[in-house]
């Protein structure tokens, strides 16, 4: 088996010594080329080259959800084709590692490496669905390139929080769950549209859902983790289905307190709910429009401001070692 290991040297929870141990462990079981990323987008470029070479059987991403997202977008540069493309394996190295944990992998990099080697020896894999988001034809964002995401995307409030976190990290702050909580509070206090939303959700054959303040698109459950606590924005979301949406039409202080409590106590059987909550399941095609530019994120990566995003849920997109 010929494999490419894409290593993010800035992965927050793995040291250089740990990464060396993992590389040697993987290299002992396969023909492995390990490449350390040197710039933003490098993981995507490496994975695209691996997919187009037709000589690589497996691409291993060692890093956080951002690294995994880049690798996935590189593998799917020419579109999904699970029978032709290299398989993907993920060694978690970030602060949250939602995609890896949603697959059932241990959150520890060493344990996850052992699980991947066991899965390879037993040929254990699954084909997962992914989400795709791109510019909407006929809008000012129509030229925005399409991009795949593995577990979540969001337009509005949650993307604003991620943008704030990234600003803090650029100033030298560590990416911790406490940092995220602080930015949630600041985003809420400064959110100008929390009582009168700007977002409209449109999907074929249905009336539009208007005046949304927050819109979270989920490809799997949990949506994210707060430490070791899983949070389920859309409990029915699954890698075997298309996309789910949780949207809120109001974010007053009482409403936020209620929905935040529901999110913190959510489970695989019940997520946020109430008169201001909109929940939609297994959507293959829909569009989010905004009356003004709003922050947009995919897999925890802030991508700037958008006024319109078109989403597609692809049920069988990529083979993953589990």
């Amino acid at each position: 088996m010929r494999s490419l290991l894409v290593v993010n040297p800035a992965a927050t929870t793995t040291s250089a010594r740990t990464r060396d141990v993992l590389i040697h462990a993987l290299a002992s079981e396969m023909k492995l080329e390990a490449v350390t990323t040197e710039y933003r987008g490098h993981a995507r470029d490496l994975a695209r080259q691996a997919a187009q070479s037709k000589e690589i059987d497996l691409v291993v991403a060692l890093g956080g959800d951002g690294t995994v997202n880049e690798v996935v977008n590189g593998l799917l540069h020419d579109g999904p084709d699970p029978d032709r493309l290299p398989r993907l394996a993920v060694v978690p190295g970030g602060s949250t590692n939602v995609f890896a944990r949603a697959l059932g992998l241990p959150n520890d990099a060493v344990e996850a490496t052992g699980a991947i080697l066991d899965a390879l020896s037993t040929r254990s894999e699954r084909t997962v669905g992914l989400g795709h988001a791109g510019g909407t034809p006929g809008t000012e964002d129509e030229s925005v390139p399409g991009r795949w995401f593995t577990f979540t995307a969001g337009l509005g409030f949650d993307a604003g929080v991620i943008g704030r976190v990234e600003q803090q990290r650029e100033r030298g702050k560590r990416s911790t769950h406490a940092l995220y909580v602080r930015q949630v509070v600041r985003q809420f206090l400064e959110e100008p549209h929390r009582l009168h939303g700007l977002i409209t959700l449109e999907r074929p054959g249905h009336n539009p859902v208007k005046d949304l303040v927050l819109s979270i698109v989920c490809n799997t459950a949990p949506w994210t983790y707060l430490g070791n606590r899983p949070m389920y924005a859309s409990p029915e979301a699954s890698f075997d289905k298309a996309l789910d949406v949780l949207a809120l039409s109001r974010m007053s202080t009482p409403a936020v307190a209620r929905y935040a409590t529901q999110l913190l106590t959510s489970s695989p059987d019940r997520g946020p709910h109430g008169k201001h909550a909109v929940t939609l399941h297994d959507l293959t095609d829909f569009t989010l429009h905004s009356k003004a530019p709003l922050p947009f994120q995919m897999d925890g990566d802030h991508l700037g401001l958008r006024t319109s995003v078109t989403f597609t849920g692809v049920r069988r997109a990529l083979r993953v070692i589990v």
Side-chain angles (χ1 to χ4, degrees):
M1 176 182 292
R2 294 194 58 183
S3 303
L4 170 68
L5 173 64
V6 178
V7 182
N8 179 2
T12 56
T13 58
T14 58
S15 65
R17 179 174 296 178
T18 300
R19 290 192 289 271
D20 287 341
V21 170
L22 301 180
I23 290 171
H24 286 301
L26 292 168
S28 68
E29 300 294 332
M30 63 189 75
K31 187 175 182 180
L32 182 74
E33 177 186 4
V35 181
T36 299
T37 59
E38 299 176 356
Y39 55 86
R40 185 165 183 165
H42 194 187
R44 180 196 61 229
D45 295 342
L46 292 169
R48 183 179 70 244
Q49 293 166 9
Q52 293 174 341
S53 73
K54 299 181 181 180
E55 296 178 353
I56 301 296
D57 304 300
L58 174 69
V59 176
V60 184
L62 197 172
D65 288 309
T67 303
V68 174
N69 180 277
E70 285 196 16
V71 168
V72 166
N73 275 277
L75 289 173
L76 273 65
H77 180 266
D78 296 321
D81 189 348
D83 294 328
R84 178 187 62 82
L85 292 173
R87 289 167 291 172
L88 170 69
V90 178
V91 178
S95 58
T96 309
N97 308 305
V98 179
F99 182 65
R101 293 164 83 174
L103 288 170
L105 290 169
N107 198 37
D108 177 80
V110 175
E111 293 182 11
T113 300
I116 289 168
L117 292 174
D118 289 343
L120 287 169
S121 68
T122 59
R123 300 181 181 272
S124 176
E125 62 181 56
R126 65 180 293 190
T127 302
V128 300
L130 297 173
H132 184 271
T136 304
T139 71
E140 61 185 68
D141 290 328
E142 66 178 340
S143 62
V144 175
R147 181 164 170 171
W148 296 89
F149 60 96
T150 64
F151 65 94
T152 191
L155 180 68
F157 183 86
D158 72 310
V161 172
I162 289 172
R164 289 174 178 272
V165 170
E166 291 189 1
Q167 289 177 353
Q168 294 298 313
R169 292 186 66 183
E170 289 173 357
R171 295 170 184 168
K173 298 291 182 65
R174 291 183 63 248
S175 178
T176 64
H177 296 289
L179 176 63
Y180 274 88
V181 171
R182 289 196 299 271
Q183 302 315 310
V184 167
V185 173
R186 290 175 180 172
Q187 180 70 20
F188 171 73
L189 294 175
E190 299 178 20
E191 173 58 59
H193 308 296
R194 58 191 176 94
L195 299 181
H196 304 284
L198 304 178
I199 302 169
T200 296
L201 186 152
E202 295 182 350
R203 53 181 174 141
H206 295 80
N207 293 327
V209 184
K210 299 181 179 180
D211 302 325
L212 301 173
V213 179
L214 174 150
S215 53
I216 297 173
V217 182
C218 293
N219 186 50
T220 188
W223 163 56
T224 191
Y225 291 82
L226 186 61
N228 290 323
R229 180 192 294 272
M231 294 195 291
Y232 298 84
S234 298
E236 292 185 284
S238 166
F239 288 130
D240 299 320
K241 302 289 186 179
L243 301 174
D244 282 26
V245 175
L246 169 67
L248 299 181
S249 60
R250 189 174 179 83
M251 290 186 68
S252 62
T253 300
V256 167
R258 181 169 61 253
Y259 293 124
T261 300
Q262 291 177 353
L263 193 57
L264 288 170
T265 59
S266 59
S267 71
D269 300 316
R270 193 164 179 81
H273 55 279
K275 66 178 182 178
H276 299 302
V278 177
T279 58
L280 301 170
H281 176 57
D282 198 19
L283 306 184
T284 55
D285 299 280
F286 63 96
T287 298
L288 296 175
H289 298 284
S290 174
K291 297 175 185 176
L294 291 177
F296 179 61
Q297 66 89 11
M298 296 175 72
D299 285 347
D301 186 11
H302 186 268
L303 299 179
L305 302 178
R306 301 283 180 86
T307 56
S308 186
V309 186
T310 293
F311 292 88
T312 305
V314 180
R315 290 189 179 91
R316 287 177 51 83
L318 191 65
R319 293 182 298 167
V320 181
I321 302 298
V322 290

